[in-house]
Amino acid sequence: MSWSGSNYVSAVVALAIASGVALSEACAADDMAGLQAEVDALKKQVQEAGEWRRSDSMVHLSGYGAVTYSDAQSENGAYDGVVFAPIFHYQYKDLMLLESELEVEVGKEGETEFALEYLALDLFLNDHVTLVAGKFLSPIGQFRQNLHPAWINKLPSEPPGFGHDGAAPVAEVGAGLRGGLPASGGRLNYAFYVGNGPELEAAGGELEGVRSEGMTRDEDGKKVLGGRLGFQPIAKFEVGMSAATGQAAVARDAAGAVASDPARDYDVTGVDFSGQIYGLELRGEYVRQKAGAAAGSVAPDAAAWKAWYTHASYPFQPGKWEGVLRYTDFSMPDANQGQRQWAAGVNYLFAPSVIAKLAYEKNDGESGTAADADRIQVQLAYGF
Amino acid sequence: MAGISRFRIGGLIAAGFVAVAVLFYQATPLEAREAEKPGDSVRGVTLWADNCARCHAMRDPKEFRDDQWRVIVSHMRVRAGLGGQDARDILAFLQASN
């Protein structure tokens, strides 16, 4: 067989095409491998980016901050409130939540005051029962556990008697159970606890105050049991009843620490309500702490601290402007040291969590003290 | 004697809480709860409107990510006395709306 010139040309062309196809297939295979590698890398990135959504352990930083300016009768106006209250949340699945609030404040002398407002371990036992242990805000009433953060409280100040030195318990160190469940077409929520209880303060042979910030010691050795039951018969309306009972002892008087003062009965009762209708928010709360008599004590007589407030607010431009009115009556064992207060305010919400407040307080208390001085307050608060 | 009595009472109370915790947990283990009761976002809308505004201004669901809402709702479950199912329904709504 002999090949002509055209045959040689055809063979060369065919060989060239075959080589090109082979080369092209090899390149395509390389491209595919490269693409596959890129896809795998992207998959890994997407998986990593979504890990935070599926992780068993979660961390969240929350809290609030507030700056307050106060101008009271008989005192120079001053920026007298600078508060930073970070809240740390750590959660493992839907089983455990650790929640802790620090309260960092600037004091009158420029010093930094630092406090652990609460540190609670919440173990979700089932849909209706949560075990709470640690230092927790007192479940007595509503203000302390739900309304005290500055971005939630609709006035710059706390109602007299519901702050750190008043009639309402502030916090407790102990353990308890709390939760919620459907009941009679409405909803029931509950919180019961046992804790170390408060300590009493005396001065001049009389009981002067109750320290209820939550302590890790229990000088009298007697625990306090307490709790609150809340019921919502209809949406946006709740009534609550609170009580606590146990024993407490005087731990401090004007001369300093008091040792081995006899334990005496200690009882707390309270009722509260909150409701909303056509935008109008109404709430009120009554609480009474009573320490019984104790023979042989540095302050043997019984004493009671009582306070109640009622509060109304109305958003006359919903989500922006709201007006607030509150009346409070705080009674102490020394009748001269009680306080009555009318407070009226106007708030502007830059956002649901950013609020500016302007308020005027008309105070009626012991003459010559802050409890009797009317004042204007301006506050900017942010809940994050 | 009084000291021993106090010690025993305090110990009994602490042991009681641990016993209650174990009993409740054994009754419905975590895995069982997670598997059988997902949140209902439709029901969650109403619960969100009825419960959250009882104390504070309504926060925009877009304000937080899914994982952040999960922790926040757990915190509010304790604070507001919500049942577990109500909390999951509210969470489903917030995560679907952000």
Side-chain angles (χ1 to χ4, degrees), chain B residues 65-78:
Chain B
R65 299 189 311 255
D66 282 7
D67 61 323
Q68 293 172 318
W69 276 125
R70 189 172 171 190
V71 182
I72 293 166
V73 170
S74 293
H75 167 72
M76 292 315 305
R77 174 181 166 182
V78 177

Side-chain angles (χ1 to χ4, degrees), chain A residues 52-53 55 58 60 89 91 93-95 97 99 118 122 124-127 129-131 137 145-147 151-152 175-180 187 189 194 220-221 232 235-236 238 276 281 283 349 352-353 383-384, chain B residues 6 10 13 17 20-22 24-25 28 30-31 33-34 37 43 47 49-51 53-60 63-68 70-72 74-75 77-86 88:
Chain A
W52 57 266
R53 304 181 67 161
S55 62
M58 292 153 282
H60 178 241
H89 291 139
Q91 181 171 341
K93 292 189 173 179
D94 290 322
L95 178 66
L97 174 69
E99 47 180 348
Y118 60 82
D122 306 328
F124 298 107
L125 300 174
N126 64 29
D127 272 0
V129 185
T130 302
L131 173 71
L137 297 175
Q145 62 174 335
N146 289 337
L147 306 173
W151 73 276
I152 296 176
L177 299 173
R178 59 189 301 163
R187 281 189 166 70
N189 59 75
V194 58
D220 59 84
Q232 292 174 258
K236 299 182 181 177
E238 179 172 340
Q276 292 175 6
E281 180 189 288
R283 62 174 72 248
L349 285 85
S353 57
F384 54 88
Chain B
R6 286 203 300 269
I13 291 171
F17 273 110
V20 167
V22 172
F24 273 113
Y25 184 71
T28 318
L30 176 63
E31 291 74 16
R33 279 183 279 141
E34 286 177 337
K37 294 179 180 174
R43 196 166 169 271
L47 290 166
D50 288 348
N51 284 284
R54 277 196 289 137
C55 295
H56 56 74
M58 302 288 274
R59 306 290 285 258
D60 189 337
E63 201 173 334
F64 298 106
R65 299 189 311 255
D66 282 7
D67 61 323
Q68 293 172 318
R70 189 172 171 190
V71 182
I72 293 166
S74 293
H75 167 72
R77 174 181 166 182
V78 177
R79 191 64 79 240
L82 298 173
Q85 188 59 51
D86 289 350
R88 284 192 293 278

Side-chain angles (χ1 to χ4, degrees), chain A residues 299-317:
Chain A
D301 294 338
W305 294 258
K306 293 181 286 186
W308 66 271
Y309 74 87
T310 186
H311 153 129
S313 64
Y314 184 75
F316 45 86
Q317 186 184 351

